[in-house]
Amino acid sequence: MKKHVLDLTVKSVEPLGHRYVLLKLTHADELPPMLPGQFVEVRVDDSPTTFLRRPISIHFVDSERNELWLLVAMIGDGTRRLGHLRAGQQLNCVLPLGNGFTMPEKPSERVLLVGGGVGVAPLLFLGKAIHAAGGQVTFLLGGRTGSDLLELELFNMYGRVCVTTEDGTRGERGFVTDHSLLGNEQFDRIYTCGPKPMMMAVARYAQKANVECEASLENMMACGLGACLCCVEKTTEGNICVCKEGPVMNIKKLLWQN
């Protein structure tokens, strides 16, 4: 897909929980086509410590409103500055980057989308696409505590939502792979994004259940074009740049289980 460098206009900045914000961006022209699982590289201006662009998953695309949504966890100086943007300001983005998720082969497939923390970001757009194609979507979302579970009402628009929290403040207590759903139901396809230990656990479950599974990797991606080699991942096909060959990978190609 063609890549674009655009100055997008901030339409709104909506606080979510104690350390997350939802950025809604737009442009005078129609936004370029984007796929679930792709990402953008965002330039952070006026930051003395942020020299490189920040990779952020495409959270949602609202075609009717010509909006691109980015879910940002305010962790470092760069992301905190993104969280303090105001409506009307400009945000320079390179988009869309990387490869997206593989859509289910049949509309009747039962799919499970597993996310943890800010890793839930690409799953909303993916869930919408699968739901629109007639798929049966179940979201399994986890967080350390209840305040880390974001936008559950939006996820619920596109499928059934099951949740876990490590402290038991919402949903079932434990990690996502502890949820009773995994022992009681079967799925045709699994998608996951979040902390690497969580995705590795989901991958082990998928392998044991003989279910196709794709993971959206979160390696450090500085350039987004495969030039800087910051995001190299070892695979069955050799070393690959996650920003260019991913970030979505079939778990069969990953060497995690070895």
Side-chain angles (χ1 to χ4, degrees):
M1 297 178 69
K2 183 179 179 180
K3 300 172 179 61
H4 303 260
V5 182
L6 299 176
D7 285 320
L8 301 180
T9 301
V10 178
K11 207 169 181 180
S12 65
V13 182
E14 303 174 11
L16 298 175
H18 61 287
R19 63 187 183 101
Y20 303 95
V21 293
L22 174 63
L23 301 181
K24 293 185 178 181
L25 310 172
T26 190
H27 195 264
D29 298 324
E30 183 178 353
L31 291 169
M34 290 171 268
L35 301 173
Q38 292 185 305
F39 67 100
V40 305
E41 286 277 359
V42 175
R43 190 181 71 202
V44 182
D45 295 327
D46 303 319
S47 171
T49 62
T50 310
F51 305 106
L52 301 173
R53 289 179 180 265
R54 288 292 182 264
I56 301 179
S57 296
I58 293 172
H59 181 41
F60 195 76
V61 176
D62 189 330
S63 300
E64 293 183 1
R65 292 183 172 86
N66 199 39
E67 291 178 354
L68 165 64
W69 297 9
L70 302 179
L71 181 61
V72 180
M74 295 186 291
I75 299 173
D77 180 65
T79 50
R80 283 196 296 269
R81 287 181 182 271
L82 293 177
H84 289 98
L85 288 169
R86 295 291 180 265
Q89 290 185 284
Q90 300 291 303
L91 187 63
N92 186 268
C93 299
V94 182
L95 74 161
L97 296 170
N99 297 309
F101 293 100
T102 303
M103 291 292 289
E105 295 178 357
K106 302 176 182 178
S108 60
E109 288 189 22
R110 300 181 69 236
V111 298
L112 178 65
L113 281 60
V114 186
V118 77
V120 305
L123 303 184
L124 182 63
F125 191 23
L126 175 62
K128 177 191 175 185
I130 296 174
H131 176 77
Q136 303 177 56
V137 179
T138 297
F139 296 101
L140 178 53
L141 310 176
R144 289 191 177 93
T145 187
S147 61
D148 291 318
L149 298 173
L150 308 174
E151 302 179 306
L152 297 185
E153 69 286 352
L154 289 180
F155 283 99
N156 195 55
M157 292 174 59
Y158 304 113
R160 177 176 49 147
V161 177
C162 302
V163 301
T164 66
T165 50
E166 294 177 30
D167 62 3
T169 53
R170 191 160 187 177
E172 296 189 14
R173 179 188 292 271
F175 302 121
V176 288
T177 46
D178 297 323
H179 198 283
S180 58
L181 174 79
L182 298 181
N184 297 329
E185 298 187 29
Q186 294 182 337
F187 297 91
D188 301 304
R189 193 178 296 265
I190 298 174
Y191 305 91
T192 185
C193 183
K196 186 174 181 179
M198 184 211 78
M199 291 195 293
M200 292 177 68
V202 173
R204 287 193 294 270
Y205 167 82
Q207 285 185 321
K208 185 176 180 180
N210 195 29
V211 177
E212 285 292 318
C213 179
E214 289 185 337
S216 180
L217 276 58
E218 296 189 323
N219 298 35
M220 180 67 70
M221 293 181 279
C223 72
L225 303 171
C228 67
L229 305 181
C230 288
C231 62
V232 168
E233 179 78 23
K234 294 181 180 180
T235 75
T236 58
E237 300 174 353
N239 293 341
I240 60 98
C241 289
V242 170
C243 68
K244 188 175 181 181
E245 304 297 329
V248 178
M249 298 286 295
N250 190 300
I251 62 167
K252 294 176 182 177
K253 294 183 179 182
L254 299 171
L255 301 180
W256 289 349
Q257 312 311 321
N258 299 326

